[in-house]
Amino acid sequence: FFPLIYWPVSLTAPKPARATLDRIDTYMKRGGTVLFDTRDAIEAPPGGASQSAGMVALRAILSSLDVPELEPLPSDHVLNKTFFLLREFPGRFTNGQLWVEALPADHADDPNRPARAGDGVSSILITSNDLAGAWAMRPDGQPMLPLVPGEPRQREFAFRAGVNIIMYALTGNYKADQVHIPALLERLGQ
């Protein structure tokens, strides 16, 4: 029913019950995507994003799930072009990395190639850039939280990142189709 669940990782929240984790695991195996956001990119030690407190809390949650192999978002991933052409996925912070399910190389000529469930959509996305913090608005239409470093178009690109993530969860990998390549290259000016 819900193609995407946004899960902000909280250091103070207890680890979910086994029954809840089993339901999340089933959800991901049946085509749902969970976007985990540790929201701590600014607190991560230099070169040690995997050592941040948020990542440690996330690892405790993920240790009970059947998580596929992950990789940093490749530059040619369909998520970069689902709606907007993006190179980064900023939120309140810009220095965090977006992680996706590592998919095997697609060899169309191999008759034994594995079927990709969920139309090629990653069952798990992980970021530390606090996407929802960048999207949050007060009732008067002003942003709730400041951005770091606060570049002029950072909030706009955070919204664009959100649109791409939603479109990706809803439509799958249709943009990976080669028929779109000429139009995308023209728009990129290449």
Side-chain angles (χ1 to χ4, degrees):
F1 185 76
F2 297 102
L4 177 72
I5 295 174
Y6 177 81
W7 187 321
V9 176
S10 171
L11 300 178
T12 58
K15 183 177 176 180
R18 180 76 237 166
T20 302
L21 292 170
D22 288 343
R23 290 174 70 188
I24 291 293
D25 198 45
T26 300
Y27 168 81
M28 292 192 320
K29 287 179 180 174
R30 292 188 179 166
T33 298
V34 180
L35 170 58
F36 291 98
D37 193 340
T38 61
R39 305 174 301 163
D40 64 352
I42 194 139
E43 299 164 6
S50 63
Q51 309 303 321
S52 70
M55 283 304 292
V56 171
L58 177 58
R59 284 175 198 243
I61 294 169
L62 297 181
S63 68
S64 301
L65 299 175
D66 184 16
V67 178
E69 181 180 344
L70 302 174
E71 67 181 352
L73 183 72
S75 62
D76 63 344
H77 196 278
V78 70
L79 194 47
N80 292 320
K81 56 191 171 195
T82 307
F83 189 79
F84 293 104
L85 298 176
L86 298 176
R87 290 189 175 97
E88 299 174 338
F89 285 76
R92 281 190 59 217
F93 316 117
T94 59
N95 58 325
Q97 176 70 53
L98 180 63
W99 291 77
V100 297
E101 185 174 337
L103 293 176
D106 187 13
H107 301 289
D109 56 339
D110 182 3
N112 297 319
R113 72 181 188 276
R116 292 183 177 172
D119 201 16
V121 175
S122 180
S123 61
I124 182 172
L125 304 171
I126 300 174
T127 186
S128 58
N129 279 338
D130 192 7
L131 296 171
W135 304 331
M137 296 289 174
R138 298 186 320 219
D140 65 359
Q142 294 300 309
M144 280 184 131
L145 300 168
L147 303 177
V148 177
E151 297 166 5
R153 296 184 66 196
Q154 185 174 336
R155 196 171 309 273
E156 175 188 344
F157 280 100
F159 280 113
R160 288 180 180 204
V163 168
N164 271 28
I165 290 168
I166 295 296
M167 292 295 294
Y168 172 70
L170 291 173
T171 63
N173 65 357
Y174 86 98
K175 280 279 184 138
D177 191 344
Q178 293 296 314
V179 73
H180 299 286
I181 296 296
L184 291 171
L185 290 176
E186 183 179 328
R187 284 185 57 201
L188 284 171
Q190 296 180 0

